[in-house]
Amino acid sequence: PGSDQSPFAVLVKRLIESNEEMRAQVGKINRLVPQDDDKNRSLTLDSNTISSIEASIRNLDRLTKTFHEICSGLTTQILLLSDANERVSTQDIENIAYQACDKVYKKEDSGPYESLWDSMHETLSTLTTISNSLETGSYDSTPTEQNSKQSVYLIAEQFKTSINQSDLIRSKLELKEEELLDVKKTLKIKHDELSELNIRLSLNEKKIESLQKEFEDKDNKYKQMLEEVKIDGQKKIKQCEEAITVLQNDNEQLEQEKTALKERLKQLTKNKLVDDLMQKKIGGTLKTSTTDERVSLHPQLSSPSVADGSFVSTTNEQETAALRNTVRLLKDEIWHLKMNRASVELAKLEIPTPITKINEIADIYKSSTLLLN
C-alpha cells in the first residue's frame, strides 16, 4: 500500500524509481548510438567502459533472477491463502526477498536492502555515464580509427566468409561421418550375419560328421550281420545237405527193404501156390474116390465138386492180394513215419530249403512212392 512506510516498502519504492530512471537512460542511449545504416559514424569504447558495461549486465542478470524468485515465492504464498481478499504480509515478502537474494547472490549476498540497491545503483550510474559520454561525443572515433575499423570490418567479413565455408565443410564432414557410421553399422550387421552363418556352418559340419559316423557304424553293423547270416546260411545249407544225404540213405534202405519184401512176397506166393496145389490135388483125389463110391447113390453131387476147386483157387488169389496190400500199407506207413521225422528235422533248421533241394526231395519221394506202388 502507498501508506506503508516500512523499510522494505521504502526499498521497493526506491527500486521502482531507479528502474524508471534506468529506462529513460536506455532510451537516450538508443537514440545516441549510430544505427546500422549510418556507416560514416562509429564508436570507440575504452576498456573501463567495457568493464562497466559487463558489470552492469551481471547486475541486471542478478536483479532479474532475484525478482523472478520473489515473484515465484509470492505466487506460492498467494496460492496458500485461504481467503481471496487476504493479502500477503510485508514480513512474508521480506522473508521471500532474503531467500531469493541468498539463492542468487550466494557468497556476495548482503541482504535485499544492500544487494538489490547496490546492483540497481551501479547499473543506473553506468547507464548515466554512457549516455552523457555519447551526448558529448566522447566515444566518437577519428577518421584514422574509422579506416582501421573498416579494414577490421573487411577482415571480419573475410573471416566470417571463411567461417561459413568451414561450417559448410564441417556439415559435409558430418554428413560423411553419418554415412560412415551407416556403413559401419551395415558392416557390423553383415559381420554378425557372417558370424551366425559360420556358427550354422560349424553346426551343420558337426551334424554331417555325426551322421557320417552313424552311417559308418550302421554299415559295419550290417556288414557284420550279413557275414553272420552268410555263415548261418552256409551252416544251414550244410545241414540241409546232410539231411538230404540221410534221406537218400533212408531211401536206398527203403529200396533194399522193398526189394527184400518183394522177394519174400514172391517166395510166400510160390509157397502158397504150392500148398494150394498140393491141397487141391489131395482134395481132388479124395473127392474122386468118394464120388466113384457114391456115384450111383448121388449122381447129382458131381457138379459141386468142380465148383469147390474153383472156389479154392479164388480164395488163394484173394489171400495173396490181401497180403500184397498189407505189405504195401506197411511200407507206406514206414515211409510216412520217416518222412515226418525228416520234416521235423528240416523244420528245426528255420530257413527255407532251396528250390533245387526241395525238387530233389520231391523226386525222391515220388520215385519211392512209384517203387512202393
Side-chain angles (χ1 to χ4, degrees):
S3 60
D4 191 0
Q5 297 297 324
S6 62
F8 189 76
V10 174
L11 175 63
V12 171
K13 290 178 182 180
R14 291 175 63 188
L15 291 174
I16 292 172
E17 291 174 356
S18 298
N19 185 44
E20 293 297 331
E21 293 178 1
M22 187 170 58
R23 291 178 66 183
Q25 294 297 328
V26 169
K28 184 179 178 180
I29 291 170
N30 287 330
R31 289 192 302 271
L32 295 174
V33 170
Q35 302 301 319
D36 294 336
D37 55 354
D38 189 5
K39 297 182 179 180
N40 295 323
R41 183 176 173 223
S42 61
L43 300 177
T44 302
L45 301 177
D46 55 3
S47 59
N48 292 328
T49 304
I50 294 172
S51 299
S52 299
I53 292 171
E54 291 176 352
S56 298
I57 292 171
R58 286 195 299 271
N59 289 326
L60 288 173
D61 182 62
R62 289 176 178 178
L63 288 170
T64 303
K65 290 180 179 179
T66 304
F67 291 147
H68 182 268
E69 292 293 333
I70 292 171
C71 291
S72 298
L74 287 174
T75 303
T76 304
Q77 289 294 327
I78 291 170
L79 292 174
L80 294 175
L81 295 176
S82 59
D83 189 1
N85 296 322
E86 188 178 358
R87 296 180 180 274
V88 181
S89 63
T90 305
Q91 185 65 36
D92 293 335
I93 297 173
E94 187 177 359
N95 293 331
I96 293 171
Y98 272 103
Q99 293 175 2
C101 289
D102 183 64
K103 184 176 181 180
V104 174
Y105 287 90
K106 297 180 181 179
K107 294 181 179 181
E108 298 178 3
D109 180 33
S110 299
Y113 295 100
E114 295 182 4
S115 297
L116 294 177
W117 174 248
D118 291 341
S119 296
M120 183 66 74
H121 180 68
E122 290 178 3
T123 303
L124 181 59
S125 299
T126 301
L127 292 175
T128 302
T129 302
I130 291 172
S131 64
N132 293 330
S133 298
L134 288 172
E135 189 175 6
T136 58
S138 300
Y139 296 141
D140 292 340
S141 60
T142 61
T144 305
E145 291 176 350
Q146 290 180 359
N147 292 330
S148 62
K149 195 169 185 179
Q150 289 178 357
S151 301
V152 171
Y153 284 156
L154 291 174
I155 295 170
E157 290 294 332
Q158 293 176 358
F159 181 71
K160 186 177 180 181
T161 303
S162 62
I163 288 175
N164 292 331
Q165 291 178 355
S166 63
D167 291 337
L168 182 61
I169 294 170
R170 184 183 300 169
S171 62
K172 290 182 179 180
L173 289 175
E174 289 177 354
L175 292 175
K176 294 296 182 182
E177 287 179 356
E178 291 178 357
E179 292 178 358
L180 183 61
L181 289 174
D182 293 335
V183 172
K184 286 183 178 179
K185 289 180 180 178
T186 306
L187 182 62
K188 185 178 180 182
I189 293 171
K190 295 296 182 182
H191 184 268
D192 294 337
E193 291 178 355
L194 182 61
S195 300
E196 185 178 357
L197 290 175
N198 288 328
I199 293 171
R200 290 182 180 178
L201 180 62
S202 61
L203 292 175
N204 290 329
E205 288 178 353
K206 290 181 180 179
K207 287 182 180 179
I208 291 171
E209 290 177 358
S210 62
L211 291 174
Q212 187 175 2
K213 186 177 180 181
E214 184 178 357
F215 176 75
E216 290 177 355
D217 294 338
K218 288 183 179 180
D219 189 20
N220 295 328
K221 184 178 179 181
Y222 289 149
K223 286 182 179 179
Q224 186 177 0
M225 290 174 65
L226 182 61
E227 292 295 331
E228 292 177 356
V229 169
K230 284 183 179 179
I231 294 171
D232 292 338
Q234 291 176 357
K235 289 181 180 179
K236 290 181 179 179
I237 289 171
K238 187 176 181 181
Q239 291 177 0
C240 290
E241 291 176 352
E242 292 176 355
I244 290 170
T245 303
V246 172
L247 290 174
Q248 288 177 352
N249 294 330
D250 292 340
N251 190 20
E252 292 176 357
Q253 186 177 359
L254 288 173
E255 289 290 338
Q256 293 175 1
E257 291 178 357
K258 182 180 178 181
T259 304
L261 288 172
K262 283 184 178 181
E263 294 295 330
R264 187 177 178 184
L265 180 61
K266 289 179 181 180
Q267 187 66 32
L268 289 173
T269 303
K270 289 179 180 180
N271 292 333
K272 183 66 175 175
L273 290 174
V274 171
D275 291 339
D276 290 340
L277 290 173
M278 290 177 67
Q279 289 178 3
K280 184 177 180 181
K281 288 179 179 181
I282 295 170
T285 305
L286 292 174
K287 289 178 181 179
T288 302
S289 60
T290 306
T291 302
D292 292 336
E293 291 177 356
R294 297 178 180 179
V295 72
S296 59
L297 296 175
H298 303 286
Q300 69 274 12
L301 296 175
S302 60
S303 58
S305 298
V306 176
D308 186 37
S310 62
F311 177 75
V312 171
S313 177
T314 303
T315 303
N316 291 331
E317 291 177 358
Q318 290 177 354
E319 289 177 356
T320 302
L323 288 172
R324 287 179 179 178
N325 291 329
T326 302
V327 171
R328 186 170 62 252
L329 291 173
L330 289 173
K331 288 182 178 181
D332 289 338
E333 186 67 25
I334 292 169
W335 172 253
H336 285 301
L337 289 173
K338 289 186 177 182
M339 288 301 295
N340 289 331
R341 185 180 64 184
S343 299
V344 171
E345 291 179 356
L346 289 174
K348 291 180 180 179
L349 297 177
E350 297 181 356
I351 61 167
T353 308
I355 297 174
T356 55
K357 303 298 180 180
I358 293 172
N359 292 332
E360 290 179 1
I361 294 171
D363 293 337
I364 293 169
Y365 177 75
K366 186 176 180 181
S367 61
S368 301
T369 306
L370 291 173
L371 290 173
L372 289 173
N373 293 330

